[in-house]
Amino acid sequence: MDTIVQEPPYVRLSDLGDHVGQRVTVKGWLTHHRSKGKIAFLVVRDGTGLVQGVVFRPDVAEELWQKAEALTQESSLALSGVVKAEPRAPGGFELAVDGLCVFQLTQDFPISPKEHGVDFLMGYRHLWLRSKRQHAILKVRAAIIRAMRGWMDRNGFLLVDAPILTPAACEGTSTLFETDYFDEKAYLTQSGQLYAEAAAMAFGKVYTFGPTFRAEKSKTRRHLTEFWMLEPEAAFADHDDNLRLQEQFVAGVVQEVLANCREELAILERDVTRLEAVQAPFPRLTYDEAVRILQEAGHAIQWGDDFGAPDETLLAERFDRPVFVTHYPRQCKAFYMKVDPARPDVVRCADLLAPEGYGEIIGGSQREDDLETLRARMAEAGVPEEGMEWYLDLRRYGSVPHSGFGIGLERTVAWICGLEHVRETAPFPRMLTRLHP
Ligand code: NSS
C-alpha cells in the first residue's frame, strides 16, 4: 500500500454533494475503467453511491497515471481530488484525481459485466451482492424492515423476541428441522406465534420479528427454508379487527417504502403505479366464494382443498390491491385457529394474497381461546399435548379473544420489488438445494 499524496478528508460518496469545489478522499471499488488519449475515467462504487474519477495525464505524475491504467474491475482503492458536479457522470459527480492509493489490485473477478446464469451467480452470492440490482433489492429489504417495525412501534405493539430453538411444532410436523438439544430433541422455530400469544397476555399488543425455518421440500419461486417473519398478536382483537390491522399495516408499509425507495425501485424497473394502488381497505372473499370463482374458471379444485399457486394467482388478478381469502375449511388449517361458531366446518382465518401473481404473503387468524375446544382441536390435528402445557395455560389463566398474523418478509420484498423469485430477496438465501455460500 503506498500513498502518493497527503490525504484530504475522507468522504462517503452519498455525501459528495456537500463537498463540491473541495478536495476530498473517497474509498471504494472500481466498477468501470476506460481511457481515451490523455484521460482515464475511473468509476468507483463505495456502497453509498458512484463517482467518476478523471485522471488527466498532463496534470499528474507518470507513476499515478501508470497505476490508474493498470486498475482492474473490483480493485479496492482511494482517490483524492477536487469534487465537481457533473450531471453526465455516473453518480452525478466527478473527481479531478490528483492522488491514488491502491488497497488491492484485483485479479480475475469472477463476475464480469457479461450475462451469467442464476446458478453461477448464486454460487458467487458473496460477490454478486456488489451488483447494482442486488444492491437495490437489499436496500429495499432494509427499508421494508424499517417500515414494518416502525409501523408496529408507532401503533403500540411491543417487540418481543421469540426463541429459535423450540420443543414443539407450530405449523405441522412435516417441515421441522430437528436438532439434538443435550438429551432432548429440539426444532428450529417455524413461527414465533405461540410465544407471541403468551406475550400478548402479558403486554396486550406485541410483535415478534425474526428468522423462521421450514424444511420445505418444494422448489418453487416462493419457498425458502429460512425466512424472516413479523408476527403481531393482539389481545381483545377478533377476526375483523385482525383484517383491519393487516390492511392498515400493509398499505402503510408499501406507501412508506414507495416514498423512500424511488431510486431503488427505478433501478429494478418496478411499475410503481401498481404499488400506489395499495390502499386500505382491501377486498375480501370467503373461501367458499373463492372456490366457486376457481371452479367457474375451470380449475380442478374441490371444497376442502388448499389453493395452489395458479389458484392464488387467478384470485388475486381480479383486484388491483391485495385480497383477503377468509374462512378456510378447518382441515386445511392449523390447530390453533378459532372454529367459526356459526360455521363449525370453517375457521376464522385469512390469507392475504398479493397481486401480480405473488400470492400469499400473510397467514393469520383469530385464535381458539377455549381450553377444551383447543384440546379437542389438537387431538383432531394429532398435536401432542406434551411440550404444549405452557400454551394450554394461556387458556387456563385469564383467556381472552385474541388474534394475530404472520407476514413473510421475503415474499413481501419480492412483491414490492417485482422480482421473479424470492432467492434474490435475502442476502444469503437458504433453499432446498442451497446451503452455500
Ligand atoms: O404458515 S403461515 O401461513 N402462518 C404462520 O406461520 C402463523 N403462525 C403466523 C401467525 O399467525 N403468527 O406463514 C406466514 C407467512 C406466509 O404467508 C408467507 O408469507 C411466509 O410466512 N412463509 C414463507 N416464506 C418463504 N418461504 C417459506 N417456506 C414460507 N412459509 C411461509
Side-chain angles (χ1 to χ4, degrees):
M1 197 164 315
D2 50 346
T3 310
I4 289 178
V5 291
Q6 195 189 357
E7 280 197 9
Y10 167 43
V11 172
R12 295 192 86 198
L13 295 179
S14 53
D15 299 333
L16 274 187
D18 301 335
H19 296 273
V20 173
Q22 297 169 16
R23 195 163 167 262
V24 300
T25 295
V26 301
K27 302 180 186 182
W29 297 263
L30 191 79
T31 64
H32 296 93
H33 183 194
R34 147 178 89 82
S35 23
K36 213 171 67 184
K38 294 183 208 153
I39 302 186
F41 296 99
L42 311 175
V43 180
V44 173
R45 151 190 82 74
D46 79 345
T48 72
L50 291 176
V51 69
Q52 175 161 279
V54 181
V55 189
F56 187 49
R57 193 170 185 175
D59 283 357
V60 298
E62 185 58 19
E63 190 194 350
L64 192 157
W65 173 261
Q66 293 300 336
K67 257 191 186 175
E69 281 287 274
L71 287 172
T72 49
Q73 187 194 350
E74 288 305 313
S75 287
S76 44
L77 48 81
L79 294 180
S80 306
V82 174
V83 183
K84 187 176 125 199
E86 175 48 73
R88 287 167 304 175
F93 296 97
E94 270 184 2
L95 207 67
V97 175
D98 60 26
L100 164 66
C101 160
V102 180
F103 292 99
Q104 187 182 38
L105 195 64
T106 288
Q107 303 297 343
D108 306 322
F109 187 67
I111 304 177
S112 58
K114 69 164 198 218
E115 291 273 313
H116 293 285
V118 172
D119 252 0
F120 174 87
L121 291 168
M122 287 309 279
Y124 280 109
R125 185 65 176 163
H126 50 296
L127 303 178
W128 191 23
L129 293 182
R130 303 178 188 190
S131 80
K132 191 170 171 185
R133 179 183 155 84
Q134 299 309 314
H135 196 266
I137 294 169
L138 292 184
K139 283 186 81 174
V140 175
R141 177 185 166 109
I144 292 173
I145 295 173
R146 205 156 48 233
M148 284 182 170
R149 294 200 40 188
W151 196 98
M152 285 290 148
D153 294 341
R154 284 193 304 277
N155 285 277
F157 288 79
L158 182 75
L159 174 68
V160 176
D161 302 314
I164 307 267
L165 290 167
T166 60
C170 176
E171 297 296 331
T173 49
S174 64
T175 61
L176 282 173
F177 279 113
E178 189 180 296
T179 180
D180 289 329
Y181 193 77
F182 308 107
D183 295 331
E184 279 186 77
K185 289 270 171 255
Y187 308 97
L188 297 183
T189 186
Q190 295 169 310
S191 157
Q193 179 195 323
L194 307 185
Y195 298 95
E197 287 185 58
M201 300 305 134
F203 299 100
K205 297 202 292 184
V206 299
Y207 70 102
T208 67
F209 180 57
T212 51
F213 305 86
R214 296 195 193 171
E216 302 274 7
K217 295 272 161 58
S218 33
K219 257 175 98 175
T220 77
R221 65 194 200 92
R222 309 195 290 176
H223 287 90
L224 296 167
T225 52
E226 177 178 313
F227 60 98
W228 283 62
M229 191 158 43
L230 184 134
E231 298 181 86
E233 192 73 29
F236 309 107
D238 66 13
H239 172 71
D240 290 326
D241 298 325
N242 200 23
L243 300 197
R244 275 194 296 275
L245 173 67
Q246 289 173 49
E247 64 196 6
Q248 295 296 334
F249 168 74
V250 170
V253 167
V254 169
Q255 296 314 315
E256 185 176 325
V257 171
L258 259 180
N260 294 333
C261 296
R262 288 278 165 182
E263 214 177 294
E264 289 76 17
L265 294 171
I267 289 170
L268 299 169
E269 296 174 10
R270 181 65 166 112
D271 175 1
V272 290
T273 59
R274 300 300 302 265
L275 299 175
E276 282 158 359
V278 180
Q279 305 283 353
F282 295 166
R284 286 146 208 224
L285 291 176
T286 62
Y287 174 89
D288 294 356
E289 288 167 337
V291 168
R292 216 174 308 123
I293 291 167
L294 291 169
Q295 286 175 341
E296 280 166 17
H299 287 216
I301 191 162
Q302 296 300 319
W303 196 95
D305 295 344
D306 217 340
F307 299 135
D311 302 321
E312 290 186 358
T313 299
L314 184 130
L315 293 170
E317 261 170 11
R318 298 163 58 94
F319 306 97
D320 66 343
R321 58 195 78 192
V323 53
F324 289 112
V325 180
T326 70
H327 300 90
Y328 282 68
R330 62 197 281 171
Q331 71 266 26
C332 295
K333 292 291 181 183
F335 69 94
Y336 52 72
M337 295 189 178
K338 188 168 181 65
V339 171
D340 191 334
R343 273 282 304 275
D345 56 338
V346 301
V347 285
R348 284 189 170 167
C349 72
D351 284 354
L352 184 66
L353 311 183
E356 301 171 78
Y358 285 96
E360 185 200 321
I361 53 168
I362 289 184
S365 64
Q366 185 169 345
R367 318 305 189 188
E368 184 52 66
D369 50 15
D370 176 71
L371 178 63
E372 290 315 320
T373 313
L374 180 60
R375 295 177 82 171
R377 284 277 284 148
M378 287 170 70
E380 182 183 298
V383 177
E385 286 191 20
E386 200 193 337
M388 295 287 277
E389 273 303 316
W390 68 272
Y391 183 68
L392 294 173
D393 270 355
L394 305 176
R395 278 72 180 166
R396 290 192 179 99
Y397 306 113
S399 189
V400 300
H402 64 288
S403 303
F405 66 91
I407 180 163
L409 175 66
E410 288 76 9
R411 287 189 190 175
T412 306
V413 176
W415 166 47
I416 292 181
C417 290
L419 309 179
E420 267 298 303
H421 198 294
V422 286
R423 67 187 157 216
E424 285 180 86
T425 65
F428 295 97
R430 294 290 170 255
M431 291 173 288
L432 181 57
T433 54
R434 182 156 302 277
L435 181 62
H436 305 278

